[in-house]
């Protein structure tokens, strides 16, 4: 990043403040290994994050000072950084002019997405990565949720009109994508801290929704001001329009007018957020150029038709498009067996997302590391050197996959996906099982979703099932050779079967023995185990303790977090159970024959007690 040859000596003390990765302190080999291992510090402290994202320009390095460094060649320019990462296809308005503007001024920049599905897919990431880099380097960045424009439907890059979706579907898509944009920002911050980008830069980000202004916009105003400045010729000349006009389907006026609305967004944000640059995928080039013309026209109207002033170059607009990615085999990037690779965890698990990037070929992995991660270029070079030493370890692919999952789902899920991968494809480790158990327990604890969350989850599931019916919910973690077997699914158990002495029945109900007598034999031969509650904390997974089951014990004493029971049969078979009240168990439709038998027996016993035929029944445990 620093060009030492051109660096004046006097500038040395200033280097501390440049937006470059902080030099890493020397760490001995053993510690490095430890850090790289499972316990790797991948989640920044809140205090680090707060410092990093703190927006107080006057407390940070002033822009002018940084501009001077760039001009002096001591720091790389923004355009150069984006080019180096492979994120630039075309620059509308001129590369050199944009380079100059971005050096002179921390302008506003935006990327818009229309919520046409409940999740973004990896194809959306390229323009977003360019935006995130500009955030890291201190520009005012906006991700725009197209809740207004989605109702019109962008025809760019499409050969057919979009089906209009139901109001409720649109509402849920908007909510899902809105949440996702926020979550992505959170992860960008965490990654920015983790990769050591300077906390002394003033950063600003916003998520806006264009429905907020488009629904207030009058059709007359739009046509009078903006429509009068947009030229039909260039709009008709676009490929997306031409192909549709040549085909039998044609194109609706609404779709044709889409660029007007996108252009209006820009004008609105030009006035309010000083947005002078729009970034988009390469299919957005036409819309972006139309927007630049429209903003120019609106500025001219605002000046009353007067010629532009001297400082016009400092206030003009630019467009930047990112390349369209295809894999080495020519497939459109972001499709897996014909299905989109979703960024939402409910539509594609962390494990599957990890696996998708792990399959990146050696030819492409370095380019993807530059495109999709925040690893400094120098670190990518190191990763590639290590990768070259033993290609079979796929070191670079693992780094890529982990960074991607950290960006999409968060660092802890990336650690989880990596551990699962190791558990799945190498010798099983008990740490792997511990992790899965912890995660399952956590999921049980978080299960109380709000009604809205339930609704959104169902929407995502049904959407992904409808667009990619072959995509299986993955990670049923069964039967990897040599590994402990932790089924992904948690089993429900009715609370009433948990009484002193009912462990054999519990093992049977959990599917770890086929009959009660088999379960009893298992317990008597010391082959049945249960996890002790409170053994092991979140940080210290390996200390979760298994205890051999004692036949007279009460399973209720082993409930973790009040409602989970973790059982193991023999060395390898593990089952995580969630204990629920009877109504919930029955509502889940799990009325197994043993359950009916249990209830019948219990009713008989209760009746006998009620009629005074027998005293209160001793515990079932006494009937060994
Ligand atoms: N038209 C863009 C999304 C978008 C929407 C509104 C904007 O202002 C900008 C971009 C797309 O389909 O990808």
């Amino acid at each position: 990043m620093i060009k030492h040859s051109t660096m004046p000596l006097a500038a040395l003390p200033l280097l501390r403040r440049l937006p470059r990765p902080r030099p890493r302190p020397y760490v001995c080999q053993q510690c490095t290994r430890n850090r790289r291992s499972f316990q790797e510090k991948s989640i920044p402290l809140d205090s680090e994050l707060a410092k990093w994202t703190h927006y107080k320009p006057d407390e940070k390095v002033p822009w002018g000072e940084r501009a001077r460094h760039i001009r002096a060649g001591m720091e790389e320019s923004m355009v150069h950084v984006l080019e180096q990462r492979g994120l630039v296809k075309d620059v509308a308005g001129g590369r050199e002019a944009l380079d100059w503007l971005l050096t002179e001024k921390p302008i506003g920049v935006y990327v818009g997405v229309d919520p046409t599905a409940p999740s973004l897919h990896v194809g959306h990431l390229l323009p977003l990565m360019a935006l995130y880099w500009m955030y890291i380097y201190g520009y005012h960045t906006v991700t725009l949720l197209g809740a207004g424009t989605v109702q019109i439907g962008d025809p760019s890059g499409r050969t057919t009109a979009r089906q209009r979706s139901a109001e409720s579907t649109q509402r849920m898509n908007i909510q899902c994508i809105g949440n996702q944009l926020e979550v992505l920002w959170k992860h960008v911050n965490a990654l920015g801290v983790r990769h050591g980008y300077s906390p002394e830069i003033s950063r600003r980000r916003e998520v806006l929704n264009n429905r907020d202004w488009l629904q207030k916009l009058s059709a007359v105003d739009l046509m009078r001001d903006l429509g009068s400045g947009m030229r039909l010729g260039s709009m008709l000349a676009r490929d997306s329009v031409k192909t549709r006009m040549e085909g039998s389907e044609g194109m609706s006026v609404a779709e044709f007018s889409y660029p007007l609305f996108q252009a209006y967004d820009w004008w609105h944000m030009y006035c309010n957020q000083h947005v002078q640059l729009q970034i988009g995928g390469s299919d957005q080039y036409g819309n972006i150029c139309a927007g630049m013309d429209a903003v120019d026209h609106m500025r001219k109207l605002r000046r009353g038709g007067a010629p532009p002033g001297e400082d016009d170059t400092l206030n003009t607009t630019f467009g930047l498009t990112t390349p369209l990615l295809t894999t080495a085999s020519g497939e459109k990037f972001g499709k897996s067996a014909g299905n989109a690779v979703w960024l939402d965890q409910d539509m594609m698990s962390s494990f599957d997302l990890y696996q998708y990037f792990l399959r990146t070929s050696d030819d492409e992995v370095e380019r993807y590391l530059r495109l999709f991660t925040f690893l400094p270029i120098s670190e990518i070079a190191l990763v590639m050197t290590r990768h070259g030493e033993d290609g079979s370890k796929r070191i670079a692919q693992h780094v890529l996959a982990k960074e991607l999952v950290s960006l999409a789902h968060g660092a802890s899920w990336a650690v989880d996906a990596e551990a699962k991968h190791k558990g799945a494809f190498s010798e099983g480790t008990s740490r792997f099982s511990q992790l899965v158990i912890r995660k399952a327990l956590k999921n049980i604890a978080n299960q109380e979703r709000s009604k809205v969350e339930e609704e959104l989850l169902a929407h995502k599931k049904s959407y992904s099932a409808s667009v990619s019916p072959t995509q299986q919910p993955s990670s049923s973690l069964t039967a990897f050779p040599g590994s402990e077997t932790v089924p992904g699914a948690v089993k429900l158990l009715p609370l009433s079967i948990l009484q002193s002495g009912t462990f054999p029945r519990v093992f049977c109900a959990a599917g770890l023995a086929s009959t009660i007598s088999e379960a009893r034999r298992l317990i008597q031969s010391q082959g049945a185990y249960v996890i002790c509650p409170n053994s092991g904390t979140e940080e210290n997974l390996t200390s979760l303790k298994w205890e051999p089951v004692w036949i007279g014990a009460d399973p209720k004493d082993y409930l973790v977090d009040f409602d989970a029971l973790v059982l193991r049969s023999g060395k390898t078979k593990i089952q995580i159970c969630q204990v629920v009240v009877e109504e919930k168990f029955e509502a889940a439709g799990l009325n197994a024959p043993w359950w009916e038998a249990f209830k019948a027996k219990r009713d008989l016993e209760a009746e006998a007690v009620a009629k005074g035929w027998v005293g209160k029944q001793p515990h079932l445990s006494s009937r060994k």
Side-chain angles (χ1 to χ4, degrees):
M1 279 218 158
I2 309 296
K3 293 184 185 158
H4 291 282
S5 54
T6 54
M7 185 175 62
L9 271 183
L12 264 177
L14 292 174
L15 281 180
R16 275 185 303 110
R17 301 184 180 179
L18 295 185
R20 68 200 160 97
R22 275 175 286 170
R24 283 154 200 278
Y26 173 73
V27 182
C28 82
Q29 269 195 348
Q30 184 54 44
C31 295
T32 311
R33 246 177 265 129
N34 291 346
R35 224 174 45 176
R36 293 239 166 84
S37 73
F38 174 74
Q39 296 286 0
E40 183 176 18
K41 188 203 130 199
S42 42
I43 305 165
L45 302 174
D46 284 350
S47 56
E48 279 178 298
L49 258 180
K51 190 166 174 223
W52 203 79
T53 54
H54 180 67
Y55 180 69
K56 279 254 171 105
D58 48 336
E59 289 173 17
K60 309 262 176 163
V61 179
W63 188 267
E65 194 173 309
R66 293 184 43 209
R68 245 176 292 127
H69 293 154
I70 299 172
R71 275 187 239 113
M74 290 151 55
E75 196 184 323
E76 273 167 314
S77 73
M78 191 68 244
V79 172
H80 190 232
V81 170
L82 295 176
E83 283 172 342
Q84 215 180 15
R85 308 294 308 194
L87 286 166
V88 183
K89 178 169 189 289
D90 290 306
V91 177
R95 186 224 176 259
E96 296 311 316
L98 177 65
D99 198 19
W100 174 84
L101 177 67
L102 292 183
T103 303
E104 295 305 311
K105 193 176 167 190
I107 59 163
V109 45
Y110 95 102
V111 170
V113 280
D114 278 348
T116 51
S119 169
L120 302 178
H121 52 77
V122 289
H124 284 107
L125 273 183
L126 282 195
L128 285 174
M129 282 304 290
L131 185 82
Y132 296 151
W133 275 112
M134 292 193 64
Y135 169 71
I136 288 178
Y137 278 74
Y139 296 84
H140 181 171
T141 41
V142 179
T143 38
L144 178 71
L145 176 67
T149 37
V150 74
Q151 299 177 54
I152 294 157
D154 188 354
S156 309
R158 294 181 60 91
T159 49
T160 53
R162 283 183 193 278
Q163 292 291 323
R164 191 179 177 147
S165 33
E167 186 94 352
S168 60
T169 310
Q170 269 189 17
R171 186 173 45 77
M172 286 191 279
N173 286 346
I174 291 166
Q175 193 156 1
C176 292
I177 302 284
N179 294 345
Q180 197 169 34
L181 291 175
E182 298 280 2
V183 165
L184 284 168
W185 274 122
K186 205 174 96 196
H187 298 155
V188 168
N189 281 326
L191 286 164
V193 177
R194 176 157 125 220
H195 289 304
Y197 294 99
S198 169
E200 294 180 13
I201 286 180
S202 163
R203 307 186 164 84
R204 196 158 169 206
R205 65 175 193 280
E206 283 183 89
V207 178
L208 299 177
N209 183 342
N210 63 12
R211 199 181 40 200
D212 292 345
W213 52 82
L214 290 183
Q215 70 185 0
K216 292 188 208 137
L217 179 65
S218 107
V220 174
D221 291 353
L222 179 74
M223 283 299 161
R224 185 196 58 204
D225 298 340
L226 210 119
S228 65
M230 292 177 76
R231 309 314 300 165
L232 206 54
S234 55
M235 286 172 77
L236 281 170
R238 292 183 58 184
D239 283 345
S240 54
V241 177
K242 276 201 276 185
T243 41
R244 290 279 289 283
M245 297 306 288
E246 282 159 13
S248 55
E249 202 191 350
M251 185 182 233
S252 70
V253 171
E255 281 181 285
F256 179 73
S257 318
Y258 183 97
L260 254 84
F261 293 89
Q262 185 161 337
Y264 186 83
D265 285 342
W266 198 346
W267 172 238
H268 180 91
M269 290 183 289
Y270 180 88
C271 299
N272 296 286
Q273 279 77 26
H274 309 290
V275 168
Q276 286 178 252
L277 173 65
Q278 181 176 172
I279 302 178
S282 53
D283 63 337
Q284 291 296 306
Y285 190 78
N287 286 353
I288 292 176
C289 291
M292 287 167 63
D293 290 345
V295 174
D296 272 354
H297 174 73
M298 294 298 282
R299 289 175 60 215
K300 195 163 148 202
L301 283 185
R302 202 165 62 173
R303 292 193 302 266
E310 282 215 328
D311 63 348
D312 190 63
T313 38
L314 266 180
N315 297 309
T316 54
T317 48
F318 289 87
L320 188 148
T321 58
T322 51
L324 185 73
L325 275 193
T326 48
T327 60
S329 52
E331 252 174 60
K332 200 168 165 196
F333 178 79
K335 303 264 167 174
S336 163
N339 301 315
V341 176
W342 301 109
L343 297 182
D344 190 296
Q345 210 173 3
D346 293 329
M347 289 166 67
M348 186 155 194
S349 70
S350 305
F351 182 73
D352 286 347
L353 188 62
Y354 193 95
Q355 295 298 322
Y356 176 79
F357 280 96
L358 210 56
R359 288 196 292 270
T360 307
S361 72
D362 279 349
D363 298 341
E364 287 166 326
V365 70
E366 186 173 358
R367 184 164 64 115
Y368 286 6
L369 281 170
R370 275 189 272 122
L371 287 172
F372 294 113
T373 76
F374 295 106
L375 250 69
I377 295 285
S378 56
E379 247 172 72
I380 294 179
L382 274 177
V383 169
M384 290 315 293
T385 312
R386 273 180 63 207
H387 178 85
E389 286 160 9
D390 182 357
S392 70
K393 287 196 182 138
R394 301 183 79 71
I395 289 173
Q397 281 87 349
H398 276 286
V399 173
L400 174 69
K402 211 168 161 186
E403 289 292 310
L404 241 299
V405 178
S406 301
L407 175 61
H409 303 166
S412 57
W413 287 102
V415 175
D416 187 44
E418 187 189 29
K420 272 186 190 158
H421 171 85
K422 290 197 172 140
F425 295 106
S426 63
E427 270 279 284
T429 63
S430 67
R431 180 175 277 158
F432 159 63
S433 315
Q434 306 270 5
L435 196 75
V436 177
I437 293 166
R438 264 286 156 215
K439 203 99 251 174
L441 294 178
K442 213 169 175 180
N443 284 346
I444 293 175
N446 294 337
Q447 230 176 32
E448 289 303 311
R449 292 174 205 270
S450 69
K451 235 177 132 214
V452 176
E453 284 168 336
E454 288 285 359
E455 199 187 19
L456 292 182
L457 180 66
H459 172 61
K460 287 180 205 168
K461 297 271 181 214
S462 77
Y463 183 89
S464 48
S466 70
V467 294
S468 43
T470 55
Q471 215 162 44
Q472 289 302 324
S474 71
S475 333
S476 173
L477 299 164
T478 44
F480 294 115
S483 72
E484 289 169 336
T485 309
V486 184
V490 170
K491 268 221 165 90
L492 292 190
L493 291 184
L495 176 64
S496 46
I497 67 161
L498 270 58
Q499 298 165 11
S500 301
T502 57
F503 256 124
R505 184 180 293 281
V506 165
F507 265 75
C508 191
L512 293 174
S514 39
T515 60
I516 295 197
S517 40
E518 186 191 318
R520 199 171 293 133
R521 276 195 303 277
L522 183 75
I523 295 172
Q524 278 160 349
S525 64
Q526 299 261 303
Y529 299 84
V530 59
I531 275 195
C532 256
N534 307 328
S535 63
T537 59
E538 198 69 31
E539 295 76 45
N540 192 2
L541 290 164
T542 44
S543 71
L544 283 175
K545 278 207 183 61
W546 292 105
E547 233 184 46
V549 169
W550 168 62
I551 203 132
D554 186 343
K556 280 203 289 300
D557 294 341
Y558 294 87
L559 287 179
V560 183
D561 299 337
F562 305 109
D563 64 353
L565 198 61
V566 189
L567 309 170
R568 192 181 99 202
S569 142
K571 281 201 165 52
T572 57
K573 267 170 90 184
I574 296 170
Q575 179 62 53
I576 304 158
C577 305
Q578 183 185 9
V579 178
V580 292
V581 291
E582 283 185 14
E583 297 78 48
K584 199 161 173 193
F585 180 73
E586 291 191 337
L590 298 168
N591 309 356
W594 61 265
W595 171 238
E596 295 304 330
F598 173 83
K599 276 200 307 187
K601 198 157 164 215
R602 187 185 55 184
D603 293 347
L604 271 179
E605 285 167 359
E607 194 185 335
V609 173
K611 295 196 172 150
W613 296 338
V614 283
K616 199 171 176 322
Q617 276 286 310
H619 279 307
L620 297 172
S621 59
S622 60
R623 295 180 287 109
K624 279 196 183 168

